[in-house]
Amino acid sequence: MTSRTHVLLWTDSTPAYLDAIKAAGLADRVEVDTLPRKEKPTAAQMARTEVLMAYGVPPGLLPAMPKLRWAQAMMAGVEAWMALPDLPEGLTLTCARGTHKESMPENILGALLYVAKPYAAAVENQKLRKWVHSPAQPLGGKTLGILGLGAIGQDVARAAASFGLRVIGTRRRAAPVADVAEVFPAERTPEVLAQSDFLLLLLPATRETDNFINAERLGMMKPGAWLLNFGRGHLIKDDDLVAAVKARKIAGAVLDVFRQEPLPADHPFWGTEGIIVLPHIGGPHPQRDKFVARLFVDNLGRFLDGKPLKEVVDRQSGY
């Protein structure tokens, strides 16, 4: 009988993953250990683990797993994994890229509608029993710029186009994308900034994108433009954004991700008029573990059969 592959699920929500393994017919091919996030693997678990699924790991853990060949990160962003000083060179790392597709496009569209329509002002006026007629600004005919036309960006483009928005954006490989009028390489980002009425950030966190939106690039945007960040908090130089919004160099910003979460109570984002703080609600979904489990089990079957895995992290690019 062929020996089973040892899998460690290091998460607080194991039922979705165990059910998916069973449904895929892989249960008799693996031995699964489950471990709550607050606990640490035992020496025996580390010695036998060949496949690891986790949100993240502390330094020193991965080198202590001599049989580990593949690690599945449970989030799309892998900056914490890439920052590990002892990330084994030969370890295959995959991420959960694409598992936010059910929720994030909807939440981004919600943000677009929020800043274009006078609903928030109407709610405040209702508290004062004031009738204030404020015409809603149309989305049709405006330009949405998307920096990072990956899976989420392409879904947003499809939905935005149905509202009559003209969509442009950047992509590492500037090939045509459905529902996107123009796709630019990263070096032509200034053209996207200059044309956009709404600028959506969906870039990964890498050395190249740290503080990407700074005073210089904010100065390239239209005075009436809105910035929406649903990518990574590190993309924005916080002080420069606060200064730009206060000086009316741009209309405002909707931010769902931050350098430090929860956002500290004394951070200037909270009190800056024109900056809307969302508590990282863009990606979470009540059924997200099922979506991640679907990807993990697909990859687990591929791993057991010796086939290429999906969503492998490119260490050179950092995502």
Side-chain angles (χ1 to χ4, degrees):
M1 181 178 175
T2 305
S3 61
R4 297 184 178 188
T5 297
H6 286 270
V7 177
L8 175 58
L9 304 178
W10 196 358
T11 174
D12 296 329
S13 52
T14 55
Y17 300 91
L18 295 173
D19 289 347
I21 289 172
K22 184 178 179 181
L26 301 177
D28 61 346
R29 301 178 65 185
V30 295
E31 289 284 352
V32 181
D33 289 331
T34 61
L35 189 69
R37 290 179 68 184
K38 65 181 180 180
E39 296 183 17
K40 294 291 187 287
T42 64
Q45 286 174 328
M46 289 192 289
R48 64 176 175 257
T49 296
E50 298 167 75
V51 174
L52 170 67
M53 187 192 73
Y55 278 97
V57 297
L61 184 89
L62 297 179
M65 293 181 161
K67 293 186 177 181
L68 184 65
R69 290 185 285 153
W70 163 44
Q72 171 74 57
M74 296 180 68
M75 302 295 289
V78 290
E79 49 267 31
W81 292 80
M82 298 301 293
L84 288 169
D86 52 10
L87 184 65
E89 204 169 299
L91 177 66
T92 298
L93 177 63
T94 57
C95 66
R97 189 184 298 117
T99 57
H100 295 97
K101 289 180 66 174
E102 283 79 1
S103 55
M104 193 175 287
E106 289 185 3
N107 286 317
I108 291 169
L109 288 171
L112 283 170
L113 290 167
Y114 185 89
V115 299
K117 309 301 180 182
Y119 301 143
V123 169
E124 292 305 310
N125 287 328
Q126 181 178 348
K127 295 175 184 177
L128 302 172
R129 298 175 181 266
K130 290 174 59 178
W131 180 280
V132 179
H133 182 71
S134 302
Q137 295 301 310
L139 291 177
K142 301 288 180 64
T143 296
L144 169 64
I146 303 176
L147 302 187
L149 279 166
I152 302 296
Q154 291 176 40
D155 275 4
V156 172
R158 183 162 49 250
S162 70
F163 281 97
L165 280 155
R166 173 177 175 262
V167 183
I168 61 175
T170 62
R171 195 180 184 202
R172 186 168 57 172
R173 289 178 293 275
V177 174
D179 301 301
V180 178
E182 289 187 86
V183 180
F184 298 92
E187 58 267 23
R188 293 180 64 184
T189 295
E191 294 176 57
V192 179
L193 301 180
Q195 295 182 44
S196 298
D197 299 293
F198 307 97
L199 182 70
L200 172 61
L201 305 182
L202 291 174
L203 296 169
T206 66
R207 288 189 299 272
E208 291 75 22
T209 61
D210 189 44
N211 287 327
F212 190 78
I213 299 298
N214 53 20
E216 180 183 4
R217 290 194 173 96
L218 287 163
M220 298 176 185
M221 294 175 63
K222 296 179 178 181
W226 279 86
L227 176 71
L228 291 78
N229 188 13
F230 283 78
R232 297 288 181 269
H234 290 72
L235 302 177
I236 292 174
K237 191 170 184 180
D238 294 2
D239 291 345
D240 287 1
L241 176 59
V242 170
V245 173
K246 285 184 173 179
R248 298 290 185 265
K249 292 184 177 178
I250 65 171
V254 180
L255 309 176
D256 186 56
V257 287
F258 307 90
R259 289 179 176 273
Q260 182 180 345
E261 297 185 7
L263 187 67
D266 60 352
H267 196 286
F269 282 164
W270 288 110
T272 303
E273 185 179 356
I275 292 182
I276 299 164
V277 173
L278 303 179
H280 204 145
I281 60 173
H285 187 285
Q287 303 297 320
R288 186 167 183 270
D289 278 310
K290 289 187 178 180
F291 306 144
V292 179
R294 188 166 58 208
L295 170 63
F296 174 68
V297 167
D298 185 358
N299 264 344
L300 182 59
R302 290 168 173 268
F303 179 81
L304 295 173
D305 293 338
K307 296 178 180 178
L309 303 185
K310 291 182 176 180
E311 308 305 343
V312 174
V313 173
D314 181 344
R315 296 204 189 186
Q316 199 67 32
S317 63
Y319 60 95

